[in-house]
């Protein structure tokens, strides 16, 4: 599989500058088409308003969302107008509760969705909702780029967070174009279970599969020497000077991840390299 259709979702062009730059660079490197979905979000919560105010509030928030979508579209078109890639821009309005359907319908026809970090200062819940909609409803891999990232994800050294899960396997398959172009792929296993199916050779079968695709892979088995698996993984990424990490997303239920945090959220908050995820 090759990445021939890319998608990025923009609610605030200034906040999305890094992801747009990265998406453009990846599209150029992969000779891909870039679609940009400019999203105006209607945050109306009708149950919170007094009787008689609902219609007025809905119209006001809808008008604001339409303005946001049009302004974002104009800014993105101005940004892309001089680029030498194939691109298209579309503007839509959605209530935040309907975003899984709106984003999922667009994302399902993309090979890769490129997004900025969904957590942090100045980021509303719509960014996280867009990322989850692409992963769950769109069933498409998502690359999260950190703030200030400057690159096109050539990823000469890639770490795979391997825990034998279905999510991790799906992420590996989705990231094959990146893995095949890397100089080295580090299959990283943290505290492998003593009685698991790979107990005698952690990461061995995955290494063999990747080798048949022409990927130069090695296996690192690490102890969980820090409170969170994501902390160990991030330290290993830094120590090995990796350019990207591939991992499965949301191994637990989304409700549990939201309450407890989870490896997915911690990685997206802390990683200083692109994170390519799939669920």
């Amino acid at each position: 599989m090759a990445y021939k259709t890319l998608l990025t979702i923009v609610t605030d062009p200034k906040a999305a500058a890094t992801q747009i730059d990265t998406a453009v660079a990846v599209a150029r490197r992969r000779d891909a088409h870039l679609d940009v979905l400019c999203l105006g979000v209607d945050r109306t919560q009708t149950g919170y308003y007094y009787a008689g105010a609902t219609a007025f509030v809905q119209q006001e928030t809808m008008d604001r969302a339409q303005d946001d979508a049009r302004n974002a579209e104009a800014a993105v078109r101005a940004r892309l107008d001089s680029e030498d890639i194939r691109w298209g821009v579309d503007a839509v309005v959605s209530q935040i509760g309907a975003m899984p359907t709106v984003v999922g319908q667009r994302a399902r026809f993309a090979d890769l969705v490129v997004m900025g970090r969904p957590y942090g200062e100045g980021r509303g819940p719509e960014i996280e909702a867009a990322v989850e909609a692409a992963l769950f409803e769109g069933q498409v891999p998502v690359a999260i780029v950190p703030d200030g990232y400057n690159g096109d994800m050539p990823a000469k050294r890639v770490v795979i967070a391997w825990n034998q899960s279905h999510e991790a396997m799906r992420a590996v398959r989705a990231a094959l174009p990146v893995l095949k172009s890397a100089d080295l792929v580090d299959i990283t296993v943290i505290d492998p279970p003593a009685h698991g199916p790979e107990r005698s050779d952690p990461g061995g079968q995955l290494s063999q599969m990747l080798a048949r695709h022409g990927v130069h892979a090695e296996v690192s088995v690490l102890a969980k020497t820090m409170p969170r698996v994501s902390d160990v993984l991030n330290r290993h990424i830094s120590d090995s000077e990796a350019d990207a990490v591939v991992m499965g997303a949301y191994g637990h239920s989304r409700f549990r991840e939201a309450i407890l945090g989870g490896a997915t959220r911690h990685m997206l908050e802390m990683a200083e390299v692109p994170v390519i995820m799939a669920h």
Side-chain angles (χ1 to χ4, degrees):
M1 185 193 77
Y3 299 143
K4 289 302 179 183
T5 302
L6 307 179
L7 172 69
T8 191
I9 301 151
V10 174
T11 58
D12 180 346
K14 290 184 179 179
T18 295
Q19 75 190 58
I20 294 173
D21 290 348
T22 303
V24 168
V26 174
R28 183 179 294 113
R29 172 177 285 271
R30 305 280 175 182
D31 189 26
H33 179 94
L34 172 61
D35 287 320
V36 183
L37 179 63
C38 296
L39 198 59
V41 182
D42 175 7
R43 298 175 177 80
T44 305
Q45 299 286 346
T46 56
Y48 295 162
Y49 301 104
Y50 60 84
T54 301
F56 170 78
V57 171
Q58 282 184 323
Q59 186 60 53
E60 182 180 30
T61 56
M62 180 61 72
D63 290 345
R64 186 182 302 120
Q66 289 174 339
D67 287 342
D68 289 345
R70 284 192 292 263
N71 292 338
E73 180 185 15
V76 170
R77 287 187 179 277
R79 163 67 181 81
L80 297 179
D81 190 51
S82 61
E83 294 292 348
D84 59 348
I85 63 168
R86 300 183 301 278
W87 57 271
V89 181
D90 196 10
V92 300
V93 172
S94 171
Q95 287 192 318
I96 194 163
M99 282 182 62
T101 300
V102 173
V103 173
Q105 180 64 26
R106 303 300 180 98
R108 67 187 300 199
F109 296 105
D111 298 314
L112 179 71
V113 174
V114 180
M115 295 292 293
R117 185 176 284 169
Y119 311 111
E121 185 177 354
R123 292 165 175 81
E126 66 273 7
I127 307 300
E128 181 180 13
V131 170
E132 291 197 350
L135 284 168
F136 286 88
E137 276 68 36
Q139 290 289 298
V140 62
V142 177
I144 303 294
V145 294
D147 298 341
Y149 178 74
N150 181 21
D152 57 4
M153 290 195 300
K156 295 303 181 183
R157 187 180 182 101
V158 182
V159 165
I160 296 175
W162 181 242
N163 61 0
Q164 307 175 37
S165 67
H166 297 302
E167 292 83 6
M169 190 73 249
R170 184 177 176 87
V172 168
R173 294 188 189 280
L176 270 176
V178 174
L179 301 178
K180 291 171 71 172
S181 63
D183 291 339
L184 179 65
V185 172
D186 185 342
I187 301 168
T188 301
V189 187
I190 300 173
D191 268 4
H195 302 290
E198 296 184 359
R199 59 188 178 276
S200 62
D201 186 19
Q205 287 181 301
L206 178 60
S207 178
Q208 183 181 71
M209 185 198 89
L210 292 177
R212 290 170 179 164
H213 282 279
V215 176
H216 180 202
E218 63 180 25
V219 178
S220 298
V221 179
L222 307 177
K224 186 184 175 185
T225 56
M226 304 174 75
R228 297 181 299 199
V229 168
S230 54
D231 292 330
V232 178
L233 188 59
N234 270 314
R235 184 177 63 183
H236 182 63
I237 292 167
S238 177
D239 291 345
S240 62
E241 298 182 340
D243 302 304
V245 59
V246 173
M247 63 180 290
Y250 299 99
H252 301 297
S253 72
R254 278 180 283 179
F255 176 77
R256 183 177 175 186
E257 290 276 354
I259 298 300
L260 301 180
T264 306
R265 184 183 181 102
H266 292 148
M267 282 301 300
L268 298 187
E269 288 177 334
M270 304 303 296
E272 297 300 325
V273 298
V275 180
I276 302 172
M277 304 185 301
H279 180 77

